[in-house]
Amino acid sequence: MLKIRRPQIEALANLSRRRFIASAIVHLRDAHPERWAEAPDDVTGAWVERRVARGLELGLVEEVSLLRHLEVASQFDERFADSDDAIGVLHNLEELQSWPEPMDLLASLYGSPAET
C-alpha cells in the first residue's frame, strides 16, 4: 500500500502554488504590459502572492477564478477586485469560460457610479 505523508502532500501543494504564481506573473505581463512589463520580478511576485492569498480568503479556489481575480485587480483596482460585484462574477465558472465578456461586464460595473 502506498502511503503519502503530510510533508509529501505539502511539498506537492507548494510546488503547484509556485508554478501557478510563476505562470500568473507571465500572464499579467502579457495581459497588462503597461503595468507589469518593466516591474521587477520580486515586486510582481509579491503582488501576485498577496492577491492570490486575498482571492483564497474570498473563496476563489479555481485557478481560472484566481487568475481572473488578478486581472481585475491589475486592470481596475484591488478594492474593486474584492467587491461583491467582482467576486460574484469570479465565482461563476461557467461565465468565466466566455472570457473576456465577463471582463466587459466588470468594466461597466467599475465605471458605474456607486449606489447610495
Side-chain angles (χ1 to χ4, degrees), residues 6-115:
R6 171 75 51 206
Q8 293 168 311
I9 293 171
E10 290 172 3
L12 289 172
N14 288 336
L15 175 62
S16 177
R17 184 179 174 98
R18 285 192 311 272
R19 285 182 176 166
F20 177 73
I21 297 297
S23 66
I25 290 168
V26 170
H27 177 76
L28 283 176
R29 286 193 167 138
D30 185 51
H32 302 136
E34 66 286 351
R35 179 168 183 185
W36 300 109
E38 301 298 321
D41 288 344
D42 59 333
V43 171
T44 308
W47 187 87
V48 168
E49 287 271 1
R50 187 172 52 78
R51 293 308 307 162
V52 166
R54 181 64 181 138
L56 290 169
E57 288 173 5
L58 294 167
L60 301 173
V61 294
E62 300 292 333
E63 286 188 3
V64 68
S65 297
L66 289 166
L67 188 62
R68 299 311 183 201
H69 187 250
L70 293 171
E71 288 184 47
V72 172
S74 176
Q75 184 167 339
F76 303 118
D77 66 50
E78 295 181 44
R79 217 171 83 210
F80 177 72
D82 295 350
S83 72
D84 290 342
D85 288 337
I87 294 302
V89 171
L90 296 170
H91 272 286
N92 186 338
L93 294 177
E94 187 175 315
E95 187 165 314
L96 290 181
Q97 300 306 312
S98 64
W99 201 259
E101 286 84 5
M103 186 61 122
D104 296 338
L105 169 63
L106 290 168
S108 69
L109 292 172
Y110 180 72
S112 298
E115 293 186 62

